[in-house]
Amino acid sequence: MPPSFPKPARRRSPHKLSDEKSAAHDPYASGKGSSRSEPMRGPRPARKQERPGQKEHGENIREPQKRRSFRKDGATSPERGPERFEEASGVDAVETPLLPGVKPVLEFLESTPERVDTVFLRKGRHSKDMDRIADLCRAVGVRFSLLEPSLFSRIYAGGSQGVVARLFEAGYVDLDDLLAKVMDAPLPLLLALDQVRDPGNAGTLARTLYALGGAGIIAPRHNGVYLGAAAAKAAAGALEKLPVAKVGNLGQALDAARKQGFTIYGAAAEKKSSSLNEANSAPVENAFAFRPRLPAVLVLGSEEEGMRPGMEKRCDTLLRIPMLRNFNSLNVAQAGAIIISAFVRSLG
């Protein structure tokens, strides 16, 4: 008779062991009819506290923030305000007069190019008409810009055939014509806006210059201010009456004015007057005491950077406004108005 050996103990399933351990340690396991435990339940989360500005029942009592959106004409709703994308596109987002379409833009460039400020072309669109538009812009001196589709659609979301022109309703004049007619104005003075980009400041300067008898404004075509709705509002009708010339190179425009007998003046900030005098051989004079030589061009720079070095070198005289307190807070429109009035005093 063969020897008998004890049967080995039956191994328990590791899953069952795990289930039994879970049941032993799980206070929520039922323990009836099954060794498998129910899922662990943690403590109930604390009630979410109400955020500041909410009522007890959770209703938000604060005004929701309004999203800014562009209309098809490139403007925003009046209560929402413009988004700041002018630096990338050169577009004034508030009530900008826009002309869409290939044929309309071609007609304006051929018949009244002085009313076209900038032409925007959408990248990725190519045609003979679009090439014709670019050629006309170069021929008549109108700035044109190629924009990515995303930015182009923010300027004008409707049907445009990839072409939109931004208009200047009053129309620009030719620089030579402007220089030739300066002596017809009560005050033979032109303003040259170097790096002035705020339309409110530009409009205010136009208003002051026209009221005091000035002859016109010279503005650069690139990196210059757009004299649209915001500028027109600040100008209070002066931009429709005051000649404005847009030039491709402001330095060359000043050189042309000097050749025709104009004196070039520049506005110098009080804190920069000494350094400007060292960098430039032009004398720095008190704006309240100098004797203007007319006809003249007054160059005004931006509040942040002032005039560019190339413009400073072309000035015959730099004018500073003496400050009786240590308080340098005049913006370009205020400083320009003060210096323009100093020119008026010379008329007697």
Side-chain angles (χ1 to χ4, degrees), residues 187-199:
L187 176 65
L189 174 68
L190 296 173
L191 289 186
L193 306 182
D194 180 40
Q195 303 292 307
V196 176
R197 298 184 182 179
D198 185 88

Side-chain angles (χ1 to χ4, degrees), residues 75-98:
T76 56
S77 301
E79 70 275 12
R80 295 184 178 180
E83 292 190 31
R84 300 291 299 177
F85 70 96
E86 302 94 87
E87 293 183 1
S89 64
V91 173
D92 179 3
V94 182
E95 299 180 10
T96 302
L98 298 174

Side-chain angles (χ1 to χ4, degrees), residues 2-61:
S4 60
F5 297 94
K7 294 183 178 180
R10 187 175 181 180
R11 299 184 64 180
R12 308 173 90 179
S13 169
H15 300 289
K16 190 171 183 180
L17 286 172
S18 176
D19 292 341
E20 290 177 356
K21 289 181 180 180
S22 299
H25 295 285
D26 186 358
Y28 296 101
S30 62
K32 296 181 180 180
S34 173
S35 64
R36 186 175 297 276
S37 65
E38 295 179 0
M40 285 285 292
R41 297 183 178 91
R44 296 183 63 185
R47 184 178 180 182
K48 189 176 181 179
Q49 296 182 353
E50 303 291 346
R51 295 194 304 267
Q54 288 188 332
K55 295 181 180 180
E56 292 183 358
H57 53 76
E59 180 183 354
N60 196 339
I61 62 175

Side-chain angles (χ1 to χ4, degrees), residues 15-319:
H15 300 289
K16 190 171 183 180
L17 286 172
S18 176
D19 292 341
E20 290 177 356
K21 289 181 180 180
S22 299
H25 295 285
D26 186 358
Y28 296 101
S30 62
K32 296 181 180 180
S34 173
S35 64
R36 186 175 297 276
S37 65
E38 295 179 0
M40 285 285 292
R41 297 183 178 91
R44 296 183 63 185
R47 184 178 180 182
K48 189 176 181 179
Q49 296 182 353
E50 303 291 346
R51 295 194 304 267
Q54 288 188 332
K55 295 181 180 180
E56 292 183 358
H57 53 76
E59 180 183 354
N60 196 339
I61 62 175
R62 292 182 296 179
E63 287 289 334
Q65 293 184 354
K66 298 179 179 179
R67 296 184 63 187
R68 297 171 178 176
S69 60
F70 282 79
R71 300 197 301 262
K72 287 187 177 182
D73 59 357
T76 56
S77 301
E79 70 275 12
R80 295 184 178 180
E83 292 190 31
R84 300 291 299 177
F85 70 96
E86 302 94 87
E87 293 183 1
S89 64
V91 173
D92 179 3
V94 182
E95 299 180 10
T96 302
L98 298 174
L99 178 69
V102 171
K103 297 299 183 183
V105 172
L106 273 174
E107 291 179 3
F108 260 72
L109 289 174
E110 292 172 349
S111 60
T112 55
E114 67 277 3
R115 293 184 59 192
V116 181
D117 179 82
T118 308
V119 174
F120 300 101
L121 303 175
R122 179 176 175 174
K123 286 186 177 180
R125 291 285 188 92
H126 299 285
S127 67
K128 292 182 179 180
D129 287 335
M130 293 186 72
D131 292 340
R132 172 66 176 159
I133 288 174
D135 292 339
L136 279 174
C137 288
R138 296 186 187 97
V140 299
V142 172
R143 178 192 175 195
F144 68 95
S145 179
L146 296 175
L147 300 181
E148 295 292 340
S150 58
L151 183 56
F152 186 92
S153 62
R154 293 176 65 186
I155 296 173
Y156 193 85
S160 63
Q161 300 174 301
V163 179
V164 171
R166 183 176 64 182
L167 305 179
F168 175 50
E169 296 295 340
Y172 297 109
V173 301
D174 185 75
L175 176 63
D176 292 336
D177 294 338
L178 178 61
L179 296 177
K181 297 179 180 179
V182 165
M183 296 306 297
D184 297 336
L187 176 65
L189 174 68
L190 296 173
L191 289 186
L193 306 182
D194 180 40
Q195 303 292 307
V196 176
R197 298 184 182 179
D198 185 88
N201 283 336
T204 301
L205 284 168
R207 183 176 184 175
T208 302
L209 183 65
Y210 183 78
L212 297 182
I217 294 176
I218 305 174
R221 186 175 299 119
H222 301 280
N223 298 323
V225 65
Y226 171 55
L227 303 176
K233 181 178 179 180
L239 280 175
E240 286 72 20
K241 304 173 183 177
L242 193 67
V244 179
K246 274 235 172 173
V247 297
N249 189 302
L250 187 58
Q252 293 179 2
L254 297 179
D255 294 339
R258 176 180 284 106
K259 290 180 181 178
Q260 297 191 30
F262 285 74
T263 306
I264 311 299
Y265 292 91
E270 176 72 16
K271 62 182 180 180
K272 293 184 178 181
S273 60
S274 60
S275 61
L276 289 177
N277 193 27
E278 293 175 359
N280 189 351
S281 59
V284 179
E285 297 188 18
N286 187 327
F288 296 158
F290 83 111
R291 294 183 179 181
R293 301 183 300 276
L294 300 172
V297 178
L298 173 62
V299 185
L300 300 173
S302 66
E303 296 95 328
E304 295 80 8
E305 301 176 0
M307 287 185 294
R308 290 174 294 174
M311 303 304 109
E312 295 172 6
K313 294 178 181 178
R314 288 176 166 86
C315 293
D316 300 307
T317 302
L318 297 172
L319 302 175

